[in-house]
């Protein structure tokens, strides 16, 4: 089963209305989602000292969108912790992949999201809190802009689908 949507489908008011509602929902989700990581302060994070076990990395490129998932496992800490994709640069990933199990880490972690905001390995800073926060906020600002665009397009699609429904009904003499 496959799903396809083309420009000809936009001529159908019902399909345009459905697309508009979907775009509005996605736009709202993008605008709400920005608050999950915005305005993070050091005091919002917990200091975690743990012994590194392994770094898991997954890269997926689908249709021009790169999604990199990086998370760390530890010998003496119960949860896996993530590095936000906007902070997962090539150099950091390479260093983490080369890191041997047993290295001591000091982390600043937002416990609700399990995101690492600062990473120190054997006293050396590999991910700085201020840099991580700035990268995440920049990423969230881009997502917010995309959300506003989707919301605007969704409203245009919905209105352009609803108005013809009323005029077609009125032009039949009803």
């Amino acid at each position: 089963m496959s799903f396809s949507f083309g420009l000809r489908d936009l001529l159908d008011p019902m399909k345009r209305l459905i697309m508009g509602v979907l775009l509005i929902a996605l736009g709202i989700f993008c605008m709400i989602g920005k608050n999950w990581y915005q305005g993070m302060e050091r005091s919002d994070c917990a200091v975690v000292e743990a012994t590194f076990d392994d770094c898991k990395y997954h890269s997926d490129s689908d249709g021009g969108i790169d999604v990199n998932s990086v998370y760390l496992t530890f010998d003496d800490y119960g949860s896996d912790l993530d590095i936000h994709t906007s902070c997962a640069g090539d150099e950091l990933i390479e260093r983490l992949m080369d890191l041997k199990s047993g290295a001591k880490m000091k982390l600043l972690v937002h416990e609700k999201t399990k995101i690492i905001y600062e990473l120190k390995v054997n006293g050396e800073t590999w991910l700085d809190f201020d840099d991580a926060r700035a990268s995440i906020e920049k990423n969230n600002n881009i997502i917010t802009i995309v959300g506003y665009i989707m919301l605007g397009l969704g409203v245009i699609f919905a209105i352009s689908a609803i108005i013809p429904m009323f005029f077609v009904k009125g032009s039949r003499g009803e």
Side-chain angles (χ1 to χ4, degrees), residues 43-106:
S43 60
D44 299 325
C45 297
V47 175
V48 173
E49 294 188 21
T51 305
F52 175 76
D53 178 45
D54 196 13
C55 175
K56 305 289 184 182
Y57 174 73
H58 175 73
S59 180
D60 187 20
S61 180
D62 183 25
I65 299 174
D66 290 330
V67 178
N68 298 322
S69 300
V70 180
Y71 63 96
L72 307 179
T73 60
F74 302 94
D75 290 332
D76 52 0
Y77 188 74
S79 298
D80 295 346
L81 300 175
D82 297 316
I83 295 178
H84 195 275
T85 57
S86 61
C87 301
D90 293 338
E91 181 183 344
L92 178 61
I93 292 170
E94 186 177 322
R95 291 178 85 180
L96 287 169
M97 297 304 286
D98 292 341
L99 189 63
K100 303 291 183 213
S101 181
K104 299 293 181 189
M105 291 187 162
K106 186 174 182 180

